Amino acid sequence: MTARGTNLPRVKKQNEALIKEIIYKYGPISRSKIAEMLSLTPPTITTNVTSLIERGLVYEFAADDSDVEERSLGRKPVKINFVQEAKYAVGVEMNPYHTAICMLDLRGNEKISMRYPPMNRTYVEEMDVLARNINKLIQDSGTEPEKILGVGVGLPGFVEPDVGVLRESFKTEWNGKNIARDLSRRLDLPVLIENNARVRAIGEEMFGKTLRPDSFAYYLISYGIACPLFVKNRMITGDNASAGEAGHMVVDINGPKCETCGHNGCLEEMASERAIIKKCKAAARAGVSTMLTELCPDIEGLTMKDVLMAEECNDAYVVKVMEEAVMYLGVTLANIINLISPPLVIVDGYMMKVKRNRRQLLEETKKHIFGLNDQEIEIEFIDFNPLTGARGGAALAIKQLFIKE
């Protein structure tokens, strides 16, 4: 192991990053509280905060009279918070359903967004289109170029964020490409890439309506399935960037072969949106009695929206398919909880718009949790939003290019 010596510029940079992180997570907050939380001296806090104020990144204000956190000799406590419009980040998510792009301020407020359908073009052509759309979005927003931190991109599959390479994805022509470098050259902006489920978890950590615990699981149920984990404020990625791939945990050794991983009976092949639609299409072609053929006469164009509509109309075949899928999802979630025991699990999935699916997932999960964990773990469903992944990409950019810069 190589030890690092003390380097004053590095220490100053680390202190500023820690202070920004505390202000971001707990602001508005006083200088003395920051010093207490970080065990830094008041002069160190003052020096760093003054620098941030001079650069237009944070501001100070007198706290409300009702704020009694700190009172000293009759002086009103002074709080510090970020100037949320000081910087902006662009977020992108590319998935099998669409490409979503948005621009957010430092606190996750949306300034502008757009979406466009999947394309079947070459890698170079698709990168050119993506760059043009990002540039147009920035131009249409009217934001000064110096305020743009950079771009965060969420992509399904195995991503190596440190080098900017997409190792393996449903977009096979993109495999092995240095997405971050190629997009950065087109935009003349810093670009970061990460797995799309992980950026969604980062987005929830930073922009969630409530302060999240330092450890939680993010259960994404979509075209694929993943469950990234935050443990003690750190995302667990694994040495080969594949941690959190819950979709390829085997749940039925006699199940069908997964077209992605090649194993039999993995969760993704039993319960993902892709698997559900595949099963429903096959049943409709085979003449199974189901209202899906009325909802979607061209069965090849069947979507999850059609499937959920049939489920809510109590179509017997679809209800059975969904019950089986949610059963596998619940058993897998229970296994994840039994393994790491997170205090919170956030569930993100379009199919969870249907209340019966939420109820069943809770029932199946609690049925298989070991010990008293079912009393100690909160399972929270978040509302479906087609921009959630893009917002996560922007959160990644803010976290890495602003808070930790």
Side-chain angles (χ1 to χ4, degrees), residues 62 67 92 128 137 161 171 205 222 232 248 261 284 367 396:
D67 191 331
V92 178
D128 287 342
L137 181 124
K171 296 176 76 67
E205 175 209 18
S222 186
K232 300 300 179 185
H248 298 292
C261 70
K367 189 190 303 181
L396 171 68

Side-chain angles (χ1 to χ4, degrees), residues 26 28 40 51 74 83 104 116 144 159 174 184 195 213 279 301 382:
Y26 300 102
L40 292 174
S51 173
V83 178
L104 308 182
Y116 60 93
E144 300 93 325
V159 176
W174 291 48
S184 180
N195 171 269
K279 188 176 291 187
I382 61 172

Side-chain angles (χ1 to χ4, degrees), residues 151-189:
V151 181
V153 183
L155 297 160
F158 286 178
V159 176
E160 295 185 27
D162 292 343
V163 292
V165 172
L166 178 62
R167 280 182 52 190
E168 186 175 343
S169 172
F170 76 99
K171 296 176 76 67
T172 54
E173 194 183 338
W174 291 48
N175 292 349
K177 298 290 196 301
N178 195 311
I179 313 295
R181 180 199 62 203
D182 294 344
L183 187 56
S184 180
R185 287 175 176 173
R186 287 168 168 83
L187 297 172
D188 195 24
L189 283 170

Side-chain angles (χ1 to χ4, degrees), residues 375-390:
Q375 304 297 320
E376 301 165 0
I377 293 171
E378 179 185 359
I379 298 177
E380 176 186 332
F381 296 91
I382 61 172
D383 294 336
F384 175 78
N385 183 339
L387 289 172
T388 297

Side-chain angles (χ1 to χ4, degrees), residues 37-80:
M37 294 179 74
L38 294 177
S39 298
L40 292 174
T41 64
T44 298
I45 302 300
T46 295
T47 299
N48 281 275
V49 169
T50 299
S51 173
L52 294 172
I53 291 173
E54 290 172 349
R55 284 143 59 194
L57 302 178
V58 304
Y59 68 100
E60 290 184 310
F61 63 97
D64 187 87
D65 287 337
S66 61
D67 191 331
V68 294
E69 176 194 318
E70 297 173 59
R71 288 193 177 277
S72 175
L73 300 177
R75 294 176 58 190
K76 287 187 176 181
V78 174
K79 294 292 183 88
I80 302 162

Side-chain angles (χ1 to χ4, degrees), residues 5 30 32 38 46 85 138-139 144 165 176 191 201 221 230 234 259 266 279 297 306 311 366 393 399:
S30 67
S32 59
L38 294 177
T46 295
E85 301 90 359
I138 292 172
Q139 184 177 359
E144 300 93 325
V165 172
V191 174
I221 306 161
F230 263 95
R234 293 187 61 188
E259 58 190 58
C266 72
K279 188 176 291 187
D306 301 318
E311 182 188 12
K366 290 180 178 180
K399 187 169 188 175

Side-chain angles (χ1 to χ4, degrees), residues 91-390:
V92 178
E93 182 186 40
M94 302 187 76
N95 62 43
Y97 300 124
H98 64 229
T99 295
I101 310 173
C102 69
M103 179 188 289
L104 308 182
D105 68 20
L106 291 177
R107 286 298 185 186
N109 299 301
E110 182 185 313
K111 189 164 189 180
I112 190 171
S113 65
M114 67 169 293
R115 289 189 290 152
Y116 60 93
M119 295 183 294
N120 188 22
R121 301 187 189 180
T122 67
Y123 170 74
V124 171
E125 289 172 330
E126 290 196 26
M127 288 294 288
D128 287 342
V129 170
L130 176 59
R132 283 199 301 270
N133 282 325
I134 292 173
N135 277 325
K136 184 177 186 305
L137 181 124
I138 292 172
Q139 184 177 359
D140 291 348
S141 75
T143 305
E144 300 93 325
E146 63 272 14
K147 285 191 172 186
I148 306 295
L149 291 166
V151 181
V153 183
L155 297 160
F158 286 178
V159 176
E160 295 185 27
D162 292 343
V163 292
V165 172
L166 178 62
R167 280 182 52 190
E168 186 175 343
S169 172
F170 76 99
K171 296 176 76 67
T172 54
E173 194 183 338
W174 291 48
N175 292 349
K177 298 290 196 301
N178 195 311
I179 313 295
R181 180 199 62 203
D182 294 344
L183 187 56
S184 180
R185 287 175 176 173
R186 287 168 168 83
L187 297 172
D188 195 24
L189 283 170
V191 174
L192 305 171
I193 70 168
E194 181 54 280
N195 171 269
N196 70 321
R198 291 202 284 265
V199 300
R200 284 170 177 252
I202 292 169
E204 190 59 36
E205 175 209 18
M206 296 183 65
F207 302 145
K209 295 176 182 177
T210 59
L211 185 64
R212 298 309 190 184
D214 62 7
S215 299
F216 67 89
Y218 192 97
Y219 200 32
L220 175 62
I221 306 161
S222 186
Y223 185 87
I225 298 169
C227 191
L229 310 171
F230 263 95
V231 178
K232 300 300 179 185
N233 290 317
R234 293 187 61 188
M235 179 76 77
I236 304 301
T237 59
D239 287 344
N240 62 359
S242 63
E245 288 292 337
H248 298 292
M249 295 169 62
V250 175
V251 294
D252 183 352
I253 59 174
N254 297 312
K257 185 176 181 179
C258 174
E259 58 190 58
T260 302
C261 70
H263 297 145
N264 288 85
C266 72
L267 180 65
E268 208 163 278
E269 196 61 31
M270 305 302 293
S272 67
E273 291 180 359
R274 176 184 60 78
I276 290 168
I277 291 173
K278 180 179 173 182
K279 188 176 291 187
C280 288
K281 284 181 179 179
R285 292 190 208 104
V288 172
S289 178
T290 170
M291 68 183 296
L292 290 173
T293 50
E294 299 173 24
L295 291 171
C296 185
D298 177 11
I299 201 64
E300 297 309 312
L302 187 72
T303 66
M304 277 304 296
K305 183 177 180 180
D306 301 318
V307 173
L308 296 188
M309 190 177 295
E311 182 188 12
E312 294 203 275
C313 290
N314 292 314
D315 180 274
Y317 174 77
V318 173
V319 168
K320 181 180 177 182
V321 168
M322 292 302 299
E323 285 180 346
E324 182 180 74
V326 177
M327 180 269 292
Y328 283 118
L329 290 167
V331 169
T332 302
L333 181 55
N335 287 335
I336 292 169
I337 290 170
N338 288 337
L339 181 65
I340 67 165
S341 192
L344 171 68
V345 176
I346 297 167
V347 181
D348 176 5
Y350 181 70
M351 71 175 71
M352 292 301 152
K353 291 177 69 173
V354 179
K355 289 183 179 179
R356 81 165 86 196
N357 294 340
R358 292 188 178 200
R359 285 196 301 268
Q360 187 192 349
L361 183 71
L362 290 174
E363 290 168 1
E364 292 290 348
T365 302
K366 290 180 178 180
K367 189 190 303 181
H368 296 93
I369 287 176
F370 175 72
L372 299 176
N373 284 340
D374 62 326
Q375 304 297 320
E376 301 165 0
I377 293 171
E378 179 185 359
I379 298 177
E380 176 186 332
F381 296 91
I382 61 172
D383 294 336
F384 175 78
N385 183 339
L387 289 172
T388 297

Side-chain angles (χ1 to χ4, degrees), residues 12-27:
K12 287 182 176 179
K13 187 175 181 180
Q14 289 173 345
N15 285 342
E16 181 177 293
L18 289 170
I19 290 167
K20 285 194 291 188
E21 189 171 4
I22 290 296
I23 297 172
Y24 196 90
K25 193 168 186 178
Y26 300 102

